[in-house]
Amino acid sequence: MDFMAQWIMIAGAILLILGAILHVAPWLLSWFGKLPGDIRIETERIKVFIPITSMIIVSIVLTIIINIFKR
Protein backbone atom coordinates (compact mmCIF):
# COMPACT_ATOMS: atom_id res chain seq x y z
CA MET A 1 0.00 0.00 0.00
CA ASP A 2 2.91 2.36 0.65
CA PHE A 3 4.07 1.90 -2.93
CA MET A 4 0.69 3.04 -4.31
CA ALA A 5 0.56 6.06 -1.98
CA GLN A 6 4.05 7.06 -3.05
CA TRP A 7 3.12 6.94 -6.75
CA ILE A 8 -0.05 8.97 -6.14
CA MET A 9 1.97 11.65 -4.33
CA ILE A 10 4.54 11.74 -7.15
CA ALA A 11 1.78 12.05 -9.78
CA GLY A 12 0.17 14.86 -7.76
CA ALA A 13 3.47 16.72 -7.48
CA ILE A 14 4.05 16.40 -11.23
CA LEU A 15 0.56 17.75 -11.96
CA LEU A 16 1.10 20.61 -9.54
CA ILE A 17 4.40 21.57 -11.18
CA LEU A 18 2.91 21.28 -14.68
CA GLY A 19 -0.05 23.46 -13.67
CA ALA A 20 2.26 26.11 -12.21
CA ILE A 21 4.41 26.15 -15.34
CA LEU A 22 1.34 26.51 -17.57
CA HIS A 23 0.01 29.31 -15.38
CA VAL A 24 3.28 31.26 -15.53
CA ALA A 25 4.30 30.44 -19.12
CA PRO A 26 1.31 29.31 -21.22
CA TRP A 27 3.24 29.73 -24.48
CA LEU A 28 5.34 26.64 -23.68
CA LEU A 29 2.54 24.37 -24.89
CA SER A 30 1.05 26.57 -27.59
CA TRP A 31 2.15 23.95 -30.17
CA PHE A 32 -0.09 21.30 -28.63
CA GLY A 33 -2.97 20.51 -30.98
CA LYS A 34 -1.65 22.52 -33.90
CA LEU A 35 0.64 19.91 -35.44
CA PRO A 36 0.02 18.24 -38.79
CA GLY A 37 -2.01 15.11 -38.09
CA ASP A 38 -4.13 16.63 -35.32
CA ILE A 39 -7.78 16.39 -36.34
CA ARG A 40 -10.07 19.36 -35.79
CA ILE A 41 -13.65 19.30 -37.07
CA GLU A 42 -15.82 22.35 -36.48
CA THR A 43 -19.41 22.79 -37.57
CA GLU A 44 -22.09 25.16 -36.37
CA ARG A 45 -23.13 22.86 -33.52
CA ILE A 46 -20.22 20.51 -32.95
CA LYS A 47 -16.52 20.92 -32.28
CA VAL A 48 -14.37 17.78 -32.33
CA PHE A 49 -10.66 17.82 -31.56
CA ILE A 50 -8.45 14.71 -31.74
CA PRO A 51 -4.75 15.49 -31.09
CA ILE A 52 -3.24 12.31 -32.59
CA THR A 53 0.21 13.66 -33.48
CA SER A 54 0.53 15.68 -30.29
CA MET A 55 -0.30 12.64 -28.15
CA ILE A 56 2.23 10.49 -30.02
CA ILE A 57 4.92 13.06 -29.22
CA VAL A 58 3.84 13.21 -25.56
CA SER A 59 3.93 9.39 -25.41
CA ILE A 60 7.44 9.25 -26.87
CA VAL A 61 8.74 11.91 -24.46
CA LEU A 62 7.17 10.17 -21.44
CA THR A 63 8.58 6.81 -22.55
CA ILE A 64 12.08 8.28 -22.77
CA ILE A 65 11.75 9.95 -19.35
CA ILE A 66 10.47 6.74 -17.71
CA ASN A 67 13.27 4.69 -19.26
CA ILE A 68 15.90 7.16 -18.02
CA PHE A 69 14.58 6.99 -14.43
CA LYS A 70 14.16 3.21 -14.58
CA ARG A 71 17.90 2.62 -15.00
Side-chain angles (χ1 to χ4, degrees):
M1 201 56 136
D2 291 334
F3 181 72
M4 180 76 113
Q6 189 177 29
W7 274 106
I8 290 173
M9 289 189 301
I10 291 171
I14 290 171
L15 286 174
L16 183 69
I17 292 169
L18 183 62
I21 289 172
L22 289 176
H23 181 70
V24 173
W27 65 87
L28 288 176
L29 287 179
S30 63
W31 59 269
F32 189 80
K34 296 178 183 174
L35 296 174
D38 291 340
I39 299 171
R40 182 182 305 254
I41 301 170
E42 294 184 21
T43 63
E44 292 178 14
R45 295 181 170 211
I46 299 172
K47 291 184 181 181
V48 178
F49 174 63
I50 306 169
I52 294 173
T53 308
S54 298
M55 293 312 297
I56 290 172
I57 291 174
V58 168
S59 176
I60 291 170
V61 169
L62 287 176
T63 301
I64 292 170
I65 290 171
I66 289 171
N67 283 327
I68 288 172
F69 283 116
K70 218 175 184 184
R71 293 178 184 185

